[in-house]
Amino acid sequence: MAYDAIVRIPSLLPRPFEPAVEDDYRSYRIAQIVPFERLASLAGAISITATYFWDSQVDDDASTETLVIRLLMAAIFLALLGVTYTPIGKRHLLTQLVATATVFSGFSWVLATLNDGFTVGIAGLTVSMVLLPLLSIDFRSMVAFGTMAVVIPNLFLRFVATPPPADFAYLNLNLWLGVAVVLSVLFWMLLDAGNRSLFLAERNLASERERSDRLLLNILPSAIAERLKGSDEPVSDRFDSVSVLFADIVGFTSYAQNREPRHVVELLNALFSRFDDLVGDHGLEKIKTLGDGYMAAAGVPTVLEDHAERAALTGLAMLETIREFRAEMGVDWDLRIGIHSGSVVAGVIGKHKFAYDLWGDTVNVASRLESGGVPGRIQISGDTADQLPASYRLEERGTVDIRNRGPLDTHFLMERMEEPNGQ
């Protein structure tokens, strides 16, 4: 890898992740260092201006010239601060190289202008070098920073400083910078190892949170799941007008008695998965399955004005689906479907294996309409029929005695006829 071609001490460096994960880690590091970049730019502008008083103590003759240099560098620092808020600032390596060159050029220019400034100001250069790992994205950027931190002061010492420096000045400068480079690299290694551990921990935590959220959404409606995550209070709501649909597979029990369990479960799962798609497409909420029975509702947990029509369309689509399924799988199955509209109480109860459920007379009536219905047909109550548009063809069944409810006007839902405009 190019990484190992540049870094010849891989055993001492943090081990890179897989390429895709390494890219994510790089983005993670960039997000981490942006606040440091902004803080460093602001601190640089303030400190290089505020320490002007030091120049007159070192070399009063050069203080006027260094003030100009300092103000120029402060303006550059503020410009770099502004860059971090622009799209240009997203090109972090280029931005960081410019910023690092600015820092060491500014310090070195001031020190070179002062008489024997490097002798008394070299500590500032070394401190800056040791802090550079906070801004380094990877080891290559750290190497680039270290190189600039050594080369730039030497260039200013050689070509700008007056009078010409003695050999000792070079030795002193590079001794300090050499120690700073070693400390900086060691600091970067420790920092990167810690950042990688933190990155993995946060990544694993996010993965587990996503997994738990996915599982929760498979059990509960998304709106209910969010409420449960945000509060310990029990979830309970009353809905004045919803439509409840029950569907039961006719012929399933006898079919399942003499078949392999796995085969039976796979068939039932295939059929109910198609029902799940239909329910989602029509805006209903799947409530639960009860053996070979399927329960869904329209108008919960999101209120829907056209809940009766949505339930009717779903029931018709289920009958079409069971016909297709019967032909594909060679099973002699059919559906009884019951739909009733009215008020319900909805919520989540219990501490273990909880689920979103509905209670009330509407649920009981819908269940009785299904169990007292006819295979291959949809039996709906008069309450549901009254809410359907005229485009639905109904066949009056008459009064049916519903247990614990009494006589109820019922109809068979036959089809949805085409509107005059072809809709």
Side-chain angles (χ1 to χ4, degrees):
M1 294 177 61
Y3 187 92
D4 290 329
I6 296 173
V7 181
R8 296 300 181 182
I9 49 171
S11 60
L12 299 178
L13 295 172
R15 186 183 298 274
F17 300 120
E18 293 297 320
V21 180
E22 188 69 22
D23 288 343
D24 290 343
Y25 173 68
R26 182 182 177 86
S27 299
Y28 170 82
R29 274 294 293 148
I30 288 174
Q32 277 190 321
I33 66 176
V34 168
F36 285 110
E37 289 175 340
R38 292 170 179 167
L39 179 62
S41 298
L42 183 60
I46 294 173
S47 62
I48 201 166
T49 305
T51 54
Y52 167 71
F53 74 92
W54 176 73
D55 296 348
S56 61
Q57 304 299 316
V58 177
D59 185 355
D60 186 56
D61 294 336
S63 60
T64 301
E65 185 178 351
T66 60
L67 177 60
V68 175
I69 298 172
R70 287 180 180 276
L71 292 177
L72 173 63
M73 299 309 298
I76 294 175
F77 278 124
L78 294 177
L80 288 170
L81 174 62
V83 165
T84 64
Y85 291 95
T86 70
I88 299 175
K90 295 179 181 178
R91 300 177 63 182
H92 274 82
L93 183 57
L94 178 60
T95 304
Q96 288 175 331
L97 290 176
V98 172
T100 304
T102 300
V103 170
F104 286 98
S105 295
F107 284 173
S108 300
W109 194 0
V110 169
L111 297 181
T113 304
L114 296 172
N115 183 29
D116 204 21
F118 278 97
T119 301
V120 293
I122 198 171
L125 288 173
T126 56
V127 170
S128 299
M129 180 63 209
V130 174
L131 293 177
L132 279 178
L134 294 173
L135 301 177
S136 301
I137 298 172
D138 51 27
F139 191 70
R140 283 169 290 189
S141 61
M142 188 65 244
V143 170
F145 293 162
T147 301
M148 294 173 69
V150 173
V151 171
I152 290 175
N154 274 281
L155 289 175
F156 273 91
L157 183 63
R158 173 67 180 83
F159 295 106
V160 181
T162 54
D167 291 341
F168 174 76
Y170 289 107
L171 178 63
N172 187 48
L173 172 66
N174 288 288
L175 177 63
W176 277 90
L177 289 178
V179 172
V181 166
V182 172
L183 292 176
S184 186
V185 170
L186 292 176
F187 180 24
W188 178 86
M189 289 181 180
L190 292 174
L191 186 65
D192 193 61
N195 283 329
R196 287 176 182 272
S197 297
L198 183 61
F199 168 75
L200 283 180
E202 292 183 4
R203 186 183 179 90
N204 292 336
L205 181 61
S207 177
E208 287 301 314
R209 185 182 295 112
E210 182 182 350
R211 180 172 175 271
S212 65
D213 287 348
R214 231 178 11 249
L215 290 173
L216 195 59
L217 289 175
N218 278 336
I219 299 171
L220 301 172
S222 58
I224 302 302
E226 290 301 321
R227 286 171 61 182
L228 280 177
K229 288 192 292 183
S231 172
D232 294 331
E233 293 296 320
V235 173
S236 59
D237 300 292
R238 177 178 293 279
F239 296 90
D240 293 329
S241 187
V242 305
S243 291
V244 178
L245 178 152
F246 275 91
D248 186 72
I249 303 176
V250 179
F252 176 82
T253 302
S254 59
Y255 179 89
Q257 285 180 344
N258 300 315
R259 263 79 175 185
E260 286 291 328
R262 179 170 181 174
H263 171 72
V264 173
V265 171
E266 286 177 350
L267 275 181
L268 189 61
N269 178 65
L271 179 60
F272 280 2
S273 294
R274 298 188 191 188
F275 288 174
D276 288 347
D277 292 337
L278 293 176
V279 163
D281 290 343
H282 289 92
L284 276 70
E285 187 67 44
K286 177 183 177 181
I287 303 301
K288 59 186 172 183
T289 58
L290 307 94
D292 59 346
Y294 191 100
M295 177 185 176
V300 293
T302 302
V303 175
L304 299 170
E305 296 296 329
D306 59 345
H307 56 83
E309 184 174 12
R310 288 174 182 264
L313 287 171
T314 304
L316 291 170
M318 282 180 164
L319 288 184
E320 180 63 28
T321 297
I322 194 67
R323 284 193 287 268
E324 295 173 354
F325 191 83
R326 188 164 55 224
E328 290 175 19
M329 303 300 180
V331 293
D332 188 23
W333 293 357
D334 214 333
L335 280 183
R336 280 194 314 267
I337 299 176
I339 302 175
H340 179 52
S341 302
S343 63
V344 297
V345 172
V348 179
I349 59 174
K351 295 193 300 183
H352 304 291
K353 297 183 179 180
F354 50 81
Y356 187 66
D357 209 347
L358 308 180
W359 300 273
D361 184 61
T362 301
V363 177
N364 297 331
V365 171
S367 177
R368 300 290 186 269
L369 288 172
E370 174 274 307
S371 60
V374 177
R377 308 193 80 175
I378 303 170
Q379 184 169 228
I380 67 174
S381 67
D383 294 316
T384 300
D386 291 342
Q387 299 186 52
L388 292 177
S391 57
Y392 287 85
R393 186 165 69 88
L394 306 179
E395 178 184 305
E396 188 171 352
R397 188 183 190 192
T399 301
V400 174
D401 188 52
I402 301 296
R403 182 159 57 93
N404 298 328
R405 172 67 183 266
L408 185 71
D409 182 34
T410 65
H411 305 262
F412 286 125
L413 173 62
M414 306 304 293
E415 62 178 335
R416 179 178 184 265
M417 298 178 292
E418 292 293 333
E419 299 283 1
N421 61 0
Q423 296 296 317

